[in-house]
Short mmCIF file of all heavy atoms in Angstrom, two decimals:
data_model
loop_
_atom_site.label_atom_id
_atom_site.label_comp_id
_atom_site.label_asym_id
_atom_site.label_seq_id
_atom_site.Cartn_x
_atom_site.Cartn_y
_atom_site.Cartn_z
N ARG A 619 5.81 6.73 -25.17
CA ARG A 619 4.81 7.70 -25.70
C ARG A 619 4.59 8.86 -24.72
O ARG A 619 4.40 10.00 -25.12
CB ARG A 619 3.46 6.98 -25.93
CG ARG A 619 2.38 7.89 -26.48
CD ARG A 619 2.78 8.48 -27.81
NE ARG A 619 1.85 9.50 -28.28
CZ ARG A 619 1.92 10.79 -27.96
NH1 ARG A 619 2.90 11.23 -27.17
NH2 ARG A 619 1.04 11.63 -28.46
N ILE A 620 4.69 8.58 -23.42
CA ILE A 620 4.56 9.67 -22.43
C ILE A 620 5.73 10.65 -22.57
O ILE A 620 5.54 11.86 -22.52
CB ILE A 620 4.49 9.05 -21.02
CG1 ILE A 620 3.17 8.35 -20.81
CG2 ILE A 620 4.68 10.16 -19.96
CD1 ILE A 620 3.09 7.57 -19.51
N LEU A 621 6.93 10.13 -22.77
CA LEU A 621 8.09 11.00 -22.90
C LEU A 621 7.97 11.84 -24.16
O LEU A 621 8.39 13.01 -24.21
CB LEU A 621 9.38 10.17 -22.93
CG LEU A 621 9.73 9.47 -21.61
CD1 LEU A 621 10.92 8.54 -21.77
CD2 LEU A 621 10.02 10.50 -20.51
N GLU A 622 7.42 11.24 -25.22
CA GLU A 622 7.17 12.03 -26.45
C GLU A 622 6.17 13.17 -26.19
O GLU A 622 6.32 14.27 -26.67
CB GLU A 622 6.63 11.12 -27.58
CG GLU A 622 7.65 10.09 -28.02
CD GLU A 622 7.02 9.01 -28.90
OE1 GLU A 622 5.81 9.15 -29.22
OE2 GLU A 622 7.69 8.04 -29.24
N GLN A 623 5.16 12.83 -25.37
CA GLN A 623 4.17 13.86 -25.02
C GLN A 623 4.82 15.01 -24.24
O GLN A 623 4.56 16.18 -24.49
CB GLN A 623 3.08 13.22 -24.16
CG GLN A 623 1.99 14.16 -23.69
CD GLN A 623 0.82 14.21 -24.64
OE1 GLN A 623 1.05 14.21 -25.84
NE2 GLN A 623 -0.37 14.29 -24.13
N LEU A 624 5.72 14.65 -23.32
CA LEU A 624 6.39 15.66 -22.52
C LEU A 624 7.32 16.52 -23.41
O LEU A 624 7.47 17.73 -23.18
CB LEU A 624 7.18 15.02 -21.39
CG LEU A 624 6.36 14.27 -20.36
CD1 LEU A 624 7.26 13.63 -19.28
CD2 LEU A 624 5.34 15.20 -19.70
N ALA A 625 7.97 15.84 -24.41
CA ALA A 625 8.84 16.62 -25.30
C ALA A 625 8.07 17.66 -26.09
O ALA A 625 8.51 18.79 -26.29
CB ALA A 625 9.54 15.63 -26.25
N VAL A 626 6.85 17.29 -26.54
CA VAL A 626 6.02 18.24 -27.25
C VAL A 626 5.62 19.40 -26.35
O VAL A 626 5.64 20.58 -26.76
CB VAL A 626 4.76 17.54 -27.78
CG1 VAL A 626 3.78 18.59 -28.35
CG2 VAL A 626 5.11 16.53 -28.83
N LEU A 627 5.32 19.11 -25.08
CA LEU A 627 4.92 20.17 -24.15
C LEU A 627 6.06 21.10 -23.81
O LEU A 627 5.83 22.27 -23.47
CB LEU A 627 4.39 19.53 -22.84
CG LEU A 627 3.00 18.86 -22.98
CD1 LEU A 627 2.69 18.04 -21.74
CD2 LEU A 627 1.91 19.88 -23.22
N ILE A 628 7.30 20.64 -23.92
CA ILE A 628 8.43 21.51 -23.69
C ILE A 628 8.51 22.59 -24.79
O ILE A 628 8.71 23.77 -24.53
CB ILE A 628 9.76 20.70 -23.64
CG1 ILE A 628 9.77 19.84 -22.36
CG2 ILE A 628 10.95 21.62 -23.67
CD1 ILE A 628 10.97 18.91 -22.29
N ARG A 629 8.28 22.11 -26.04
CA ARG A 629 8.36 23.04 -27.19
C ARG A 629 7.08 23.86 -27.35
O ARG A 629 7.10 25.04 -27.70
CB ARG A 629 8.65 22.27 -28.46
CG ARG A 629 10.06 21.81 -28.58
CD ARG A 629 10.99 23.03 -28.71
NE ARG A 629 12.38 22.63 -28.85
CZ ARG A 629 12.98 22.44 -30.02
NH1 ARG A 629 12.31 22.59 -31.12
NH2 ARG A 629 14.26 22.08 -30.05
N LYS A 630 5.92 23.23 -27.11
CA LYS A 630 4.66 23.91 -27.32
C LYS A 630 3.74 23.63 -26.14
O LYS A 630 2.95 22.68 -26.17
CB LYS A 630 4.00 23.45 -28.63
CG LYS A 630 2.84 24.36 -29.03
CD LYS A 630 2.27 23.96 -30.38
CE LYS A 630 1.12 24.87 -30.78
NZ LYS A 630 0.50 24.46 -32.06
N PRO A 631 3.83 24.39 -25.07
CA PRO A 631 3.06 24.11 -23.84
C PRO A 631 1.57 24.18 -24.04
O PRO A 631 0.81 23.52 -23.32
CB PRO A 631 3.55 25.18 -22.85
CG PRO A 631 4.84 25.69 -23.42
CD PRO A 631 4.73 25.54 -24.89
N ILE A 632 1.09 25.01 -24.97
CA ILE A 632 -0.36 25.20 -25.14
C ILE A 632 -0.79 24.63 -26.48
O ILE A 632 -0.28 25.02 -27.53
CB ILE A 632 -0.75 26.69 -25.06
CG1 ILE A 632 -0.33 27.26 -23.70
CG2 ILE A 632 -2.24 26.86 -25.27
CD1 ILE A 632 -0.59 28.76 -23.57
N GLY A 633 -1.70 23.68 -26.45
CA GLY A 633 -2.34 23.16 -27.68
C GLY A 633 -1.53 22.15 -28.45
O GLY A 633 -1.99 21.67 -29.48
N GLY A 634 -0.37 21.79 -27.99
CA GLY A 634 0.44 20.85 -28.75
C GLY A 634 0.25 19.39 -28.37
O GLY A 634 0.48 18.47 -29.20
N ALA A 635 -0.18 19.15 -27.16
CA ALA A 635 -0.26 17.76 -26.65
C ALA A 635 -1.55 17.07 -27.07
O ALA A 635 -2.62 17.71 -27.14
CB ALA A 635 -0.12 17.72 -25.16
N SER A 636 -1.45 15.78 -27.33
CA SER A 636 -2.67 14.99 -27.59
C SER A 636 -3.30 14.60 -26.28
O SER A 636 -2.69 14.71 -25.20
CB SER A 636 -2.27 13.71 -28.38
OG SER A 636 -1.56 14.05 -29.56
N ILE A 637 -4.53 14.09 -26.36
CA ILE A 637 -5.22 13.57 -25.17
C ILE A 637 -5.03 12.07 -25.16
O ILE A 637 -5.60 11.34 -25.96
CB ILE A 637 -6.70 13.93 -25.19
CG1 ILE A 637 -6.86 15.46 -25.17
CG2 ILE A 637 -7.43 13.36 -23.98
CD1 ILE A 637 -8.29 15.95 -25.33
#
Side-chain angles (χ1 to χ4, degrees):
R619 180 62 188 87
I620 290 172
L621 292 173
E622 293 168 7
Q623 179 92 320
L624 297 179
V626 172
L627 289 169
I628 292 175
R629 285 294 181 92
K630 192 176 181 183
I632 302 176
S636 305
I637 298 174

